[in-house]
Amino acid sequence: MSSNRKSSVKSVIQIIYDYLFNSYGPQGWWPLTELHYIDGTNPTKTGSVRGYHPGDYTYPHTDSQQFEIICGALLTQNTSWQQVERALINLRQTNSLSPESILSIDPEALKEFIKPAGYYNQKAARLKTLAEWFLELKSRIPQREELLSLKGIGPETADSILLYAFKQPSFVVDTYTRRVVSNLGLADEKAKYSEIKELFEENLPKDLVIYQEYHALLVEHAKRYYQKKINYSKCPLLRSFLD
């Protein structure tokens, strides 16, 4: 890629971020169930607004919050956050939202608690694997390859855990991100996960706040304009400066 092309892509990536942040403001990801009780909300979000902490990038504060984010990252596979939220609340209300509890709880009871998140047979087994792994971690920051070696942890889940639970700048690519960048002509519709991840990481400062906000902002934007393919042409980013 020529230096001019690289400079142009970098500029567009930054322009998109600025537009999204100015449009929707800080998103306050990753949501935590305990913040439901202290008015942790994001009123500019589409869908669930509870548990968020816009503008506060200090979370997680505790091992408990860290483990909840890890559980949420696994449970959100192939389902909506609203369903995951119900599963996490079930775990919290039964004092089961800790690695020790996850390991000791009867498997059938665990499946029942997380049933709202779907695929509960698989996810229950994988939560137990994550709980055992987390206890063995002993506050160490894991490597991405280490996470990917765990059963049921793919690139998106691994990057979500690194970015939000361990505060490591590892860009998360999800379905929404893929839809936006392919529609804007920044990546092929069939581009590999690693290619889209590289697109952002090569054109952004390695900044935790920007990585967290950019991912969350792309999700919010896509929920408004990219739910149905017929609406992709209505994306204001496309109309505004990417014609």
Side-chain angles (χ1 to χ4, degrees):
M1 186 185 290
S2 69
S3 59
N4 286 342
R5 169 65 175 158
K6 286 181 179 179
S7 177
S8 175
V9 171
K10 187 169 187 175
S11 175
V12 169
I13 293 290
Q14 185 63 52
I15 289 170
I16 292 170
Y17 177 76
D18 292 341
Y19 177 89
L20 295 176
F21 193 85
N22 290 334
S23 297
Y24 308 123
Q27 296 298 288
W29 281 40
W30 193 277
L32 292 160
T33 54
E34 68 183 76
L35 297 185
H36 290 191
Y37 310 104
I38 56 172
D39 197 32
T41 62
N42 182 354
T44 70
K45 258 192 90 283
T46 299
S48 174
V49 301
R50 300 188 302 167
Y52 295 85
H53 40 95
D56 186 344
Y57 306 99
T58 62
Y59 288 96
H61 296 163
T62 64
D63 288 348
S64 175
Q65 292 175 348
Q66 196 173 53
F67 183 66
E68 179 180 330
I69 292 170
I70 292 168
C71 291
L74 174 72
L75 291 172
T76 199
Q77 293 174 356
N78 302 304
T79 194
S80 68
W81 183 255
Q82 287 91 330
Q83 298 305 106
V84 174
E85 191 175 67
R86 289 173 59 195
L88 290 173
I89 289 171
N90 285 345
L91 291 171
R92 175 171 287 281
Q93 290 179 341
T94 55
N95 296 314
S96 304
L97 194 50
S98 71
E100 296 85 358
S101 297
I102 293 289
L103 286 172
S104 64
I105 195 172
D106 176 75
E108 294 307 312
L110 179 57
K111 291 174 188 177
E112 189 62 31
F113 295 153
I114 67 169
K115 200 169 186 176
Y119 300 93
Y120 51 87
N121 289 316
Q122 282 184 348
K123 290 180 180 180
R126 290 170 183 177
L127 278 179
K128 284 185 176 286
T129 298
L130 277 177
E132 185 175 7
W133 168 81
F134 186 77
L135 288 175
E136 292 174 353
L137 200 61
K138 300 186 184 303
S139 301
R140 176 175 58 83
I141 295 174
Q143 297 296 310
R144 189 170 188 264
E145 294 74 19
E146 177 183 353
L147 283 162
L148 291 171
S149 72
L150 298 172
K151 191 173 180 62
I153 304 298
E156 182 184 340
T157 305
D159 289 330
S160 295
I161 289 171
L162 286 171
L163 182 61
Y164 294 108
F166 293 97
K167 295 192 270 193
Q168 301 299 300
S170 188
F171 201 87
V172 179
V173 177
D174 57 21
T175 301
Y176 290 129
T177 302
R178 182 179 294 278
R179 289 176 187 173
V180 175
V181 298
S182 63
N183 191 47
L184 299 180
L186 293 169
D188 187 82
E189 194 171 357
K190 295 182 180 179
K192 295 178 181 178
Y193 183 101
S194 59
E195 292 172 339
I196 299 176
K197 178 179 173 68
E198 187 176 284
L199 171 71
F200 285 95
E201 293 189 346
E202 286 192 345
N203 292 290
L204 288 171
K206 209 168 184 66
D207 183 285
L208 177 71
V209 171
I210 292 175
Y211 276 39
Q212 288 188 351
E213 289 293 359
Y214 212 145
H215 168 239
L217 288 163
L218 283 167
V219 172
E220 177 57 30
H221 184 70
K223 284 184 176 180
R224 299 183 185 216
Y225 297 100
Y226 288 83
Q227 295 283 28
K228 296 180 180 179
K229 192 152 191 174
I230 194 171
N231 292 331
Y232 287 16
S233 62
K234 297 179 181 178
C235 173
L237 287 168
L238 195 64
R239 297 198 308 268
S240 296
F241 45 75
L242 295 175
D243 292 330

